[in-house]
Amino acid sequence: MITFNEEKKLFKLDTPASSYIMGVYEADLLLCLYYGKRLPDDNVWALARRNISASFSPVVPEIRDHWYSTDAAPMEYPVNGRGDFRLSALSVKNKDGNTVTDLRYVSYEITPGKPDMSPLPHLYCENDADCDTLAITMRDAYTGVEAVLYYTVFNTCDVIAKHVVIKNGGADAVILDRALSAGVDLPAMDYDLITLWGRHVKERQFERRPLAHGIQGVHSKRGVSSHAQNPFAALISTGGGEDVGDAYGFNLVYSGNFEIAAEVDHNASTRVVMGIDPTDFEWNLAPGESFTTPEAVIVYSDEGLGKMSRTFHKAYSEYLIRGKYKKAKRPLLINSWEAAYFDFDTDKLISFAQRAKETGIEMLVMDDGWFGKRNDDTTSLGDWYINTDKLDMARLVDTVHAMGLKFGIWYEPEMISPVSDLYRAHPDWAVHVPGRENSPGRQQYVLDVSREDVRDNIFGQMCSVLKNYKIDYLKWDFNRNVSEAGSALLPPERAHEFFHRFILGTYDLMDRFTKEFPDILFENCSGGGGRFDPGMLYFSPQIWTSDNTDPIERLMIQFGTSLCYPASTMGAHVSACGRTGYRTKGDVALWGTYGYELDPNKLSAEEKQIVKEQVAEYHKYYRLIREGELYRLIAPWDNAFRCAWSFVSQDKSEALVTVVTMRQTQEELFRLKLKGLDPGKYYRNEADGEVYSGALLMYAGLELTDLCGDDGTSFKVYLKEV
Ligand code: DGJ
């Protein structure tokens, strides 16, 4: 719900449990006055009183009040060069060549529902009753540049989505050299910053540090959101944790270069800004043109990180994931990559399908190596025609379907091998800059999908395969970062627009495919989880979480990923590698979109039996895991020996608890306190028939000492209301 107090000039944005308050102050400056636990409507005007001067910092010219400086005020959408020396969200280079920018409040509008931000991915809202949108127009009197600040407030979960449309309403061209999506100013610094760092095979590792004066944060200038840092950050009040404390979550719906930065100033206030990374960014705006920033998703939780995560999960499951597989059951797949790498032919893949079918697996995915002349990673990206020396595609697809299995395929559409027909014909279609040799990565170059002709070519090639054969699933990969970032079609004055144009090109391609093939299940991938972000989730409901399939390593990766992203989005497979037995592999993979990544011909009879049991469990717990709520009971960043998590159904009638022993301890007693149950309900432990009250399970804990085994073992407890 959004209200505007005309007299006090206060905007109040309420979600079920949070309030966000802004005020129009003297000289039409827009201030961020409060963000936190929901406040009653009366009395909030008192927030506008704020007596902080900033010695040495200039004051607002029209106010000339020693006590009032934008350098100390909580600016809602901070600008560059007008006396606020902290991080700015907007910096516009004007006709005079300077970047002094000013924005003053002009007007507002409140409408039900949420505006469409296409071609950018964004949260959507099919039912206008679920959310309201506030649009505040700000204007720079000198340049005529307008910024419309959009806030969509959800009535069903504690989420606010923000983005900005910047319009050149002046007579002269300007250049945006910083155009971020959102800012939040908080009047304190007693928070810890949590971010998700990583690398290939070690994605989204939890990292927590106390805020310090100055700037801290995360960014990517790799052309992708990246393995190195996820476009996510959280602030948690000092001493807060999984279940207690104020937690603020920040996530950018964008798959390219990003920045999320927190600056603690001289008054111990904290400013968070987020948006496109300004390092390699500029955007030319001619008179009348406008630029839309990516969307920022902001969550407040008064019950620590756990509730923050569950809020993100609900928002993304309801308002981000689209298409048939938003609700439809995802097929249980087997992928050929770790089973065969490039070494396969028709018969080998058919044998995978036959063995897999015997265990109940539902789909065969043919990974890299089926096209052009590709027998290793040195060639053929861009040549999207069947390698007929290797494959009888019609026989393969028909045989697999005749067995009752679905069939999936791998692509890497935004790449080009220097050894390919496509590169020989169009060397200028590779991303490059004049005068420099391209730096290869995994022996490949990046394809310039900022160009429409390039996108048309790739779309056409891929369509002819996807339309000729019945393809049920498409894995969309991206296996290197972007260097020498330039396009043959961009003039020098637009060179810094490349990165954003590139990602817009990717989104356009994905949009075309998802519209043309609405029944195909898309799984995103970037060498594992190098583009695990909400931008990608808008087009593909699941993402391959990591190439690391070792279940113990996966714990940190999946726990970290779960900070922001729901279980249904995390591709998780059982593979032959890894330090544990198949039961632990299955228990850990069951958290995500489940599958296998191994040669089923090599499974022993005992292993095959385990797989059959796992397939049955996958079906049994599917709804509970997909639709239930996640509770992190013991996180691997808090405990080096053991971790545990549970899914609890929305109606609190059932729960599945999983415990993994990473390293055996000498502890004599392991009593695990559960979360999220109804204290007044009674639950039966399916394994032994014992009945416990929800209160006992949560406040005293479930005695599990006897179930804990050796290093690398796991167990599950299923509880159902009696
Ligand atoms: C990287 C992916 O993460 C793998 O699963 C596999 O698809 C390879 N690329 C294929 O090249």
Side-chain angles (χ1 to χ4, degrees):
M1 184 161 96
I2 302 170
T3 53
F4 183 59
N5 180 325
E6 297 279 351
E7 189 201 341
K8 303 290 182 192
K9 292 199 170 159
L10 288 177
F11 293 99
K12 186 159 184 280
L13 285 54
D14 290 325
T15 68
S18 73
S19 293
Y20 189 99
I21 297 173
M22 293 172 280
V24 182
Y25 199 68
E26 278 178 63
D28 292 327
L29 293 163
L30 186 66
L31 306 190
C32 172
L33 297 176
Y34 175 79
Y35 186 31
K37 199 173 170 89
R38 185 161 175 169
L39 291 177
D41 287 350
D42 62 331
N43 216 22
V44 290
W45 57 269
L47 288 163
R49 284 193 226 111
R50 207 180 139 98
N51 291 336
I52 295 179
S53 69
S55 301
F56 266 72
S57 293
V59 296
V60 180
E62 302 94 309
I63 304 177
R64 292 186 186 278
D65 177 351
H66 164 71
W67 289 104
Y68 199 81
S69 164
T70 55
D71 201 28
M75 305 307 297
E76 172 58 23
Y77 190 64
V79 291
N80 182 58
R82 282 291 266 175
D84 180 350
F85 298 102
R86 299 165 294 172
L87 285 167
S88 59
L90 183 69
S91 176
V92 181
K93 190 184 279 186
N94 58 34
K95 68 174 187 333
D96 311 316
N98 69 67
T99 53
V100 177
T101 308
D102 201 344
L103 283 179
R104 304 299 172 100
Y105 171 80
V106 177
S107 61
Y108 78 96
E109 191 182 8
I110 298 170
T111 47
K114 187 171 190 305
D116 186 356
M117 288 177 63
S118 302
L120 283 167
H122 56 280
L123 300 194
Y124 63 88
C125 182
E126 282 165 340
N127 179 358
D128 278 0
D130 284 2
C131 58
D132 300 292
T133 297
L134 166 68
I136 299 179
T137 300
M138 310 282 293
R139 190 161 187 278
D140 184 336
Y142 181 65
T143 59
V145 168
E146 276 182 10
V148 183
L149 316 181
Y150 285 90
Y151 304 81
T152 296
V153 178
F154 285 80
N155 300 320
T156 51
C157 52
D158 296 314
V159 168
I160 297 175
K162 292 185 173 189
H163 75 275
V164 181
V165 177
I166 300 148
K167 183 172 177 198
N168 185 355
D172 301 295
V174 297
I175 297 172
L176 307 182
D177 79 342
R178 205 174 158 85
L180 302 196
S181 304
V184 174
D185 273 22
L186 299 168
M189 67 174 286
D190 48 354
Y191 300 103
D192 289 353
L193 175 67
I194 293 171
T195 53
L196 298 171
W197 73 277
R199 59 173 163 75
H200 180 227
V201 301
K202 201 178 175 70
E203 292 89 340
R204 288 170 298 288
Q205 306 285 303
F206 179 94
E207 190 158 53
R208 178 172 178 159
R209 55 196 133 148
L211 283 183
H213 285 92
I215 297 172
Q216 48 249 283
V218 289
H219 80 145
S220 165
K221 42 185 237 173
R222 294 162 188 267
V224 288
S225 49
S226 89
H227 297 84
Q229 292 288 355
N230 195 261
F232 165 83
L235 293 180
I236 174 88
S237 42
T238 308
E242 190 62 25
D243 304 303
V244 291
D246 289 321
Y248 299 89
F250 306 93
N251 195 207
L252 196 66
V253 189
Y254 194 57
S255 311
N257 294 346
F258 73 90
E259 175 183 60
I260 305 179
E263 179 170 9
V264 177
D265 68 15
H266 42 278
N267 291 320
S269 290
T270 303
R271 168 171 295 170
V272 177
V273 293
M274 58 195 292
I276 296 177
D277 182 55
T279 317
D280 270 322
F281 171 82
E282 268 184 5
W283 201 268
N284 291 264
L285 271 191
E289 286 182 346
S290 55
F291 177 84
T292 303
T293 71
E295 183 160 62
V297 180
I298 303 178
V299 166
Y300 167 76
S301 153
D302 58 343
E303 290 171 26
L305 299 170
K307 184 176 172 192
M308 176 201 75
S309 297
R310 288 186 289 280
T311 304
F312 273 117
H313 298 171
K314 178 176 164 118
Y316 288 173
S317 302
E318 284 299 317
Y319 305 114
L320 179 66
I321 309 279
R322 302 177 301 159
K324 175 177 165 181
Y325 284 98
K326 172 177 180 172
K327 294 279 183 231
K329 194 168 177 183
R330 315 272 174 85
L332 200 170
L333 66 84
I334 185 161
N335 179 295
S336 68
W337 181 243
E338 288 191 32
Y341 297 103
F342 298 99
D343 179 20
F344 58 79
D345 58 18
T346 312
D347 288 332
K348 192 184 246 189
L349 292 177
I350 288 175
S351 81
F352 288 175
Q354 273 161 342
R355 295 289 86 74
K357 164 86 182 156
E358 288 161 15
T359 62
I361 289 170
E362 300 165 322
M363 176 161 73
L364 174 74
V365 175
M366 175 174 68
D367 209 280
D368 194 355
W370 58 267
F371 52 91
K373 297 187 174 49
R374 189 141 166 115
N375 292 311
D376 55 33
D377 61 11
T378 60
T379 76
S380 302
L381 295 169
D383 297 346
W384 299 113
Y385 52 84
I386 311 291
N387 181 346
T388 47
D389 293 341
K390 209 169 176 176
L391 278 182
D392 178 344
M393 184 73 166
R395 181 163 74 88
L396 173 63
V397 178
D398 290 348
T399 311
V400 170
H401 280 129
M403 287 180 212
L405 265 62
K406 293 183 186 299
F407 184 84
I409 197 168
W410 177 98
Y411 274 101
E412 196 173 1
E414 304 145 270
M415 292 289 161
I416 182 166
S417 300
V419 183
S420 64
D421 296 345
L422 192 71
Y423 188 74
R424 276 185 288 275
H426 301 284
D428 60 330
W429 281 12
V431 169
H432 69 284
V433 291
R436 300 194 191 277
E437 187 184 349
N438 260 1
S439 309
R442 205 200 187 196
Q443 326 225 39
Q444 63 198 52
Y445 299 152
V446 182
L447 187 65
D448 183 3
V449 296
S450 74
R451 294 174 61 146
E452 197 174 0
D453 54 350
V454 173
R455 297 199 297 275
D456 289 346
N457 178 291
I458 296 299
F459 186 67
Q461 285 198 62
M462 287 173 62
C463 275
S464 60
V465 175
L466 298 175
K467 286 186 172 163
N468 264 337
Y469 306 96
K470 188 174 165 2
I471 307 292
D472 304 295
Y473 160 108
L474 193 156
K475 179 174 172 186
W476 186 303
D477 209 342
F478 190 99
N479 279 302
R480 56 160 294 175
N481 295 324
V482 185
S483 60
E484 293 90 25
S487 169
L489 293 192
L490 278 182
E493 66 276 16
R494 291 195 179 270
H496 280 93
E497 296 181 7
F498 174 76
F499 273 119
H500 186 58
R501 288 185 182 277
F502 177 81
I503 207 71
L504 289 177
T506 294
Y507 289 150
D508 174 60
L509 259 186
M510 290 184 165
D511 189 52
R512 290 195 210 182
F513 279 107
T514 47
K515 285 191 173 129
E516 188 75 27
F517 303 100
D519 288 331
I520 289 185
L521 169 60
F522 288 83
E523 173 151 4
N524 197 264
C525 174
S526 173
R531 278 203 303 203
F532 207 120
D533 59 63
M536 287 295 143
L537 288 174
Y538 185 70
F539 297 100
S540 57
Q542 59 195 56
I543 299 178
W544 180 226
T545 311
S546 177
D547 276 345
N548 191 334
T549 46
D550 176 284
I552 301 301
E553 298 277 327
R554 269 276 178 149
L555 291 171
M556 196 61 138
I557 296 169
Q558 293 182 185
F559 266 84
T561 305
S562 79
L563 232 52
C564 189
Y565 306 104
S568 67
T569 64
M570 291 198 262
H573 300 171
V574 172
S575 79
C577 68
R579 286 167 275 174
T580 74
Y582 276 97
R583 291 206 191 272
T584 305
K585 291 174 182 179
D587 285 348
V588 173
L590 204 55
W591 183 334
T593 56
Y594 194 69
Y596 289 84
E597 185 114 1
L598 45 76
D599 182 346
N601 296 295
K602 294 186 179 154
L603 289 173
S604 67
E606 189 196 342
E607 288 165 348
K608 213 168 159 185
Q609 182 53 33
I610 294 175
V611 173
K612 280 186 187 166
E613 289 167 21
Q614 289 171 335
V615 169
E617 284 185 337
Y618 162 79
H619 292 296
K620 176 175 174 184
Y621 299 127
Y622 185 86
R623 286 285 153 218
L624 174 54
I625 293 173
R626 288 299 162 276
E627 291 164 15
E629 293 195 300
L630 172 74
Y631 289 85
R632 289 179 293 257
L633 303 174
I634 308 174
W637 49 78
D638 287 331
N639 190 316
F641 299 97
R642 190 182 282 138
C643 67
W645 64 96
S646 70
F647 286 94
V648 179
S649 62
Q650 300 282 344
D651 64 1
K652 300 188 183 296
S653 68
E654 53 176 340
L656 178 68
V657 181
T658 307
V659 179
V660 179
T661 300
M662 296 169 293
R663 253 192 297 149
Q664 209 183 5
T665 66
Q666 298 308 313
E667 280 171 351
E668 307 238 322
L669 185 70
F670 177 46
R671 187 173 282 171
L672 181 64
K673 289 185 182 173
L674 307 189
K675 297 178 188 173
L677 302 176
D678 183 337
K681 287 189 195 294
Y682 286 82
Y683 299 87
R684 175 172 286 116
N685 179 350
E686 190 188 51
D688 59 14
E690 290 287 338
V691 174
Y692 307 90
S693 71
L696 184 138
L697 291 167
M698 291 196 293
Y699 311 147
L702 183 60
E703 167 66 54
L704 294 170
T705 312
D706 290 346
L707 295 178
C708 293
D710 294 339
D711 294 8
T713 58
S714 64
F715 60 90
K716 300 190 287 299
V717 178
Y718 176 61
L719 297 158
K720 183 126 182 72
E721 184 186 357
V722 290

